[in-house]
Amino acid sequence: ACVERSMSCSDKILSWNALGLQGNFLSNFISPVYLDSIVIGRPFNELQVEEALVGRLQKVTLFDPFLVHSPNIMEASIESPWESTKRASTASFNLSQGDPALELLNCATGQRVDSLPSWVSRYKKLEQFLALFNKWPSTKEALDLKTTTYREAKKQAQGYCLARKNLLIHFDAYGRWVHQGDQRSEFQL
């Protein structure tokens, strides 16, 4: 049986509207980056979308630099060509500036189809974060590249961690946020 490991798209966008798009690791270096606008395919109910993406955040306790951000929510000028009953593809293509080639992932497993390590894997994110963190001019103590776990590295963004904790406590009123398990964060380079 397949275990669901993520929340809905609207829950993810909702969290971005509080914590920003940059995520935990980049919060050590930059201020939150918020969506300016969102375009939704037709038909959609504007009140329901606003409640799903922003409204549920109104009573969340956040602090500088985090805030409840309300992007412009707009309806597309054309009808969606996708039937809501069709299942989404399990393929994901990733390409970023500087990547040597297109990367194809199987969304059901999170693995590359060629079995190589993904450029967007937790391992690669930790590797890149530790390299940048130890070069960044700050008062924080350098992290050991060989012994620091993924979880320990994520704890470095204390403000982000506290804001996320407040967000998750608030979401308990709507049902538990799916937690991916601590064992997935207990690895080293």
Side-chain angles (χ1 to χ4, degrees):
C2 181
V3 177
E4 186 64 32
R5 294 195 184 270
S6 63
M7 301 302 287
S8 70
C9 296
S10 61
D11 288 339
K12 189 66 171 177
I13 295 169
L14 180 81
S15 71
W16 291 340
N17 285 334
L19 304 175
L21 296 163
Q22 75 293 333
N24 183 306
F25 283 153
L26 285 177
S27 290
N28 286 283
F29 312 112
I30 63 174
S31 296
V33 176
Y34 294 104
L35 291 169
D36 184 59
S37 60
I38 300 170
V39 179
I40 309 270
R42 288 183 17 205
F44 89 108
N45 180 304
E46 186 173 357
L47 292 176
Q48 288 177 341
V49 170
E50 286 179 5
E51 177 64 18
L53 303 183
V54 181
R56 295 181 289 158
L57 292 172
Q58 297 312 316
K59 294 182 181 175
V60 173
T61 302
L62 297 172
F63 44 86
D64 191 46
F66 302 99
L67 55 88
V68 174
H69 178 74
S70 296
N72 295 317
I73 300 173
M74 300 170 281
E75 182 177 30
S77 60
I78 58 172
E79 293 259 349
S80 172
W82 306 106
E83 292 180 34
S84 60
T85 57
K86 286 189 176 179
R87 191 168 172 91
S89 169
T90 59
S92 169
F93 295 95
N94 298 313
L95 183 64
S96 298
Q97 184 175 357
D99 289 346
L102 191 67
E103 175 180 75
L104 176 60
L105 297 180
N106 177 336
C107 295
T109 64
Q111 306 288 319
R112 279 179 56 152
V113 296
D114 59 8
S115 300
L116 294 172
S118 171
W119 303 320
V120 295
S121 67
R122 287 178 173 212
Y123 182 89
K124 287 292 188 183
K125 286 194 292 186
L126 177 61
E127 183 178 64
Q128 293 168 344
F129 168 74
L130 289 175
L132 180 60
F133 187 85
N134 287 336
K135 289 179 185 174
W136 199 262
S138 72
T139 57
K140 295 181 181 176
E141 188 175 316
L143 298 172
D144 188 314
L145 297 176
K146 301 224 184 301
T147 63
T148 301
T149 66
Y150 185 83
R151 176 195 267 172
E152 291 167 342
K154 289 194 99 167
K155 287 181 181 178
Q156 297 303 311
Q158 294 173 354
Y160 182 92
C161 291
L162 184 56
R164 186 172 187 277
K165 180 180 177 182
N166 288 348
L167 185 66
L168 295 177
I169 289 169
H170 175 74
F171 278 143
D172 278 348
Y174 297 95
R176 286 243 178 240
W177 193 273
V178 175
H179 182 64
Q180 295 185 346
D182 294 335
Q183 70 278 6
R184 296 183 61 187
S185 298
E186 291 299 328
F187 67 87
Q188 304 162 330
L189 293 182

